[in-house]
Amino acid sequence: MADPRMVGVQVQGQPQQQYGGYPQPSPQQSYGQQGQPGYPPQGQPGYPPQGQPGYPPQAQQGGYPAPGGTPPQVGFAPGQPPPEGYQQGGAPPAAAGPEPSAPSVDKMDSISGYEGVGFGSAPPLPPPSYEEAQRQPPERSSLPQLPGITEEDAREALGQYVAEQCCYGKSPAQELKFTDIVPSSAFHYTLETFAEGRSTAWAYEPFKGQPIDGPMNGPAPGPWDIQAQAPAMFQNFTQQVEVPHTASVKPCHTCLGLGRKPCHHCHATGTSHCHHCHGSGRTTVYEDGHHHHRCCTWCHGSGRRQCHQCHGLGQIPCPTCGAQGQLKCYIKLTIKWINHVEDHIVERTALPDELIRGVSGQVAFKEEYPRVWPINHFPEAEINNASQNLVQRHSTAYPTERLIMQRHQVRIIPVAEATYNWKDQPYNFFVYGFEHKVHAPDYPQKCCWGCNIL
């Protein structure tokens, strides 16, 4: 017994003959005619009743080329009126408007809980309200001590830095005399809020006989009632799913259910202008000191050639429905998991703050909870204030998203400012991070002598 959900599925029968890539109709069978194979029976859920706008004409023959004959100019059945907006034997009228980019929302089924949903992008949907459980601040341990940077570490780091730079002279790094090394610490606070946002919009795809889960199978669940699991915590990811019980089959809005559309390259005539003779049917050759006109061998003197887009048929398969003539319309739910990250750096020297983000340090503090408490025990008051401000802002900054998890941490990055003399002139540089990166903007020998730049 046939599956009742298979609305509009074409019955497999004997192999059809082919004509120019299109199936050739037999005298007993026409495509798109009521009661024939491939035509959905009237009254099925999701299909508009006969006579509604966008419904294919009952006796439409489909416009396929007749066996042994020439293809029609426009590709519509002889003796039948062409669809609205087209003229028999020619291109669409110049005054005709552009093709619709999506089916009309008025033709979509009314789905409870999804009123007002349209095609294209949609605003995010606010999550359902929930009550947070009473939380207690966790116990927090003391901070670790970091090892300092010695003169030997600073000299070695500067030598490695100079070796990686183009044209830097090595003499200052080898001959310098340290006058002082002042150690310090930079603090990097980071707050991450992992949240989930949802939005809905109508979508469509070519109907090729796939099962249709329509309203006849039950009411559609709400956008936030559909279960979905993030593939990984604190990583951005987007997932799109079909909302159950919202699908239906509709005629294609581009080809009006025909499965094909007039070729705009040749204006549905099947032929295009010959570019070799410029449409004159003749070419000019120079022989015996004179110009002679010859019949164009490309178009055989007609001035026109077979259209390479439609292969002379005057029509092309509809790209919207994949030449099926029908679309599966459904409500698409878009789920976005977003990791919102903000940070704050405390660094008291002249070292640029952005350099601190790219090096490693000691993680002095780290917590992960559905809702984190602001830090209030750190010896650096600026870090405590930054944590208080960021946690408070994240609690209200994303009203259309459901907060899943939060985590925050404080890294301590060692920094040392080294001052030295070279040729009786004072200079300085910074060594920072566990990698002993160097920042030396006033290195005295940035361009070695005898360097030729091609």
Side-chain angles (χ1 to χ4, degrees):
M1 181 178 293
D3 191 344
R5 297 176 299 174
M6 302 294 286
V7 180
V9 179
Q10 184 173 356
V11 178
Q12 300 293 334
Q14 298 180 353
Q16 299 174 348
Q17 299 178 357
Q18 299 291 323
Y19 182 87
Y22 290 92
Q24 179 181 354
S26 63
Q28 294 81 18
Q29 179 179 344
S30 61
Y31 292 87
Q33 185 172 354
Q34 183 178 357
Q36 295 297 330
Y39 196 96
Q42 294 185 3
Q44 290 292 337
Y47 205 93
Q50 184 177 358
Q52 293 294 330
Y55 196 97
Q58 181 175 357
Q60 188 78 359
Q61 293 296 322
Y64 288 100
T70 59
Q73 290 184 328
V74 179
F76 302 118
Q80 297 292 338
E84 182 180 356
Y86 295 101
Q87 297 177 355
Q88 189 79 23
E99 295 177 350
S101 59
S104 174
V105 177
D106 298 337
K107 305 295 177 58
M108 297 297 102
D109 295 343
S110 178
I111 306 298
S112 177
Y114 293 88
E115 296 82 359
V117 175
F119 287 92
S121 59
L125 302 171
S129 60
Y130 52 89
E131 295 292 336
E132 294 189 33
Q134 186 68 26
R135 300 179 293 122
Q136 296 294 332
E139 295 184 1
R140 290 160 174 171
S141 58
S142 59
L143 303 180
Q145 297 293 328
L146 296 182
I149 297 176
T150 64
E151 288 189 6
E152 182 180 354
D153 295 334
R155 186 184 298 273
E156 181 181 355
L158 183 61
Q160 180 66 26
Y161 170 77
V162 171
E164 295 173 353
Q165 308 303 314
C166 177
C167 300
Y168 273 34
K170 298 181 180 179
S171 297
Q174 297 173 348
E175 301 171 1
L176 64 84
K177 294 181 179 180
F178 286 105
T179 58
D180 195 10
I181 294 182
V182 180
S184 62
S185 296
F187 305 101
H188 184 202
Y189 174 76
T190 305
L191 172 63
E192 298 176 83
T193 297
F194 189 59
E196 175 185 348
R198 299 192 175 194
S199 61
T200 56
W202 278 102
Y204 58 88
E205 62 186 37
F207 176 67
K208 300 180 180 180
Q210 61 267 40
I212 300 298
D213 183 13
M216 63 281 191
N217 293 334
W224 288 96
D225 296 332
I226 299 175
Q227 298 296 320
Q229 184 69 31
M233 297 294 290
F234 301 102
Q235 293 186 14
N236 295 338
F237 189 78
T238 300
Q239 180 181 358
Q240 294 180 336
V241 297
E242 176 183 336
V243 178
H245 314 329
T246 62
S248 60
V249 178
K250 306 292 183 183
C252 177
H253 57 280
T254 301
C255 64
L256 305 179
L258 296 175
R260 60 208 175 278
K261 54 183 294 187
C263 177
H264 293 291
H265 184 265
C266 65
H267 301 289
T269 61
T271 60
S272 59
H273 193 78
C274 179
H275 295 286
H276 295 273
C277 65
H278 305 289
S280 65
R282 298 182 301 173
T283 57
T284 303
V285 296
Y286 185 79
E287 292 181 356
D288 302 330
H290 299 282
H291 292 281
H292 302 276
H293 296 292
R294 300 287 176 83
C295 178
C296 178
T297 58
W298 291 90
C299 64
H300 303 289
S302 65
R304 303 187 66 82
R305 298 185 60 195
Q306 184 185 77
C307 176
H308 66 276
Q309 293 286 345
C310 64
H311 305 288
L313 296 175
Q315 53 189 350
I316 59 174
C318 178
T320 303
C321 63
Q324 300 298 314
Q326 295 176 322
L327 298 173
K328 173 188 175 182
C329 299
Y330 59 95
I331 294 179
K332 178 176 63 179
L333 172 65
T334 301
I335 307 174
K336 289 185 178 181
W337 289 278
I338 307 172
N339 190 33
H340 303 280
V341 182
E342 287 191 86
D343 65 350
H344 186 83
I345 296 175
V346 177
E347 211 286 311
R348 304 301 186 187
T349 69
L351 181 70
D353 290 350
E354 60 270 13
L355 298 179
I356 297 299
R357 293 188 179 93
V359 295
S360 60
Q362 177 67 45
V363 178
F365 167 83
K366 186 175 183 179
E367 285 181 347
E368 180 176 325
Y369 292 104
R371 302 293 182 274
V372 297
W373 282 84
I375 296 176
N376 55 10
H377 71 295
F378 207 75
E380 181 64 49
E382 187 175 343
I383 290 294
N384 294 331
N385 294 334
S387 176
Q388 177 70 36
N389 295 334
L390 291 181
V391 171
Q392 178 63 31
R393 180 159 69 241
H394 278 220
S395 64
T396 59
Y398 316 107
T400 61
E401 300 175 9
R402 181 172 65 92
L403 305 187
I404 300 176
M405 190 68 66
Q406 287 184 318
R407 68 181 178 187
H408 59 169
Q409 68 174 15
V410 178
R411 295 189 306 125
I412 305 179
I413 295 90
V415 177
E417 182 178 4
T419 59
Y420 64 96
N421 289 330
W422 184 69
K423 292 186 177 181
D424 298 328
Q425 295 293 326
Y427 301 95
N428 74 328
F429 65 93
F430 297 91
V431 181
Y432 60 99
F434 285 172
E435 300 89 347
H436 288 177
K437 293 286 187 179
V438 171
H439 177 67
D442 60 347
Y443 187 74
Q445 204 173 69
K446 291 186 177 181
C447 185
C448 62
W449 297 103
C451 178
N452 295 322
I453 300 178
L454 300 179

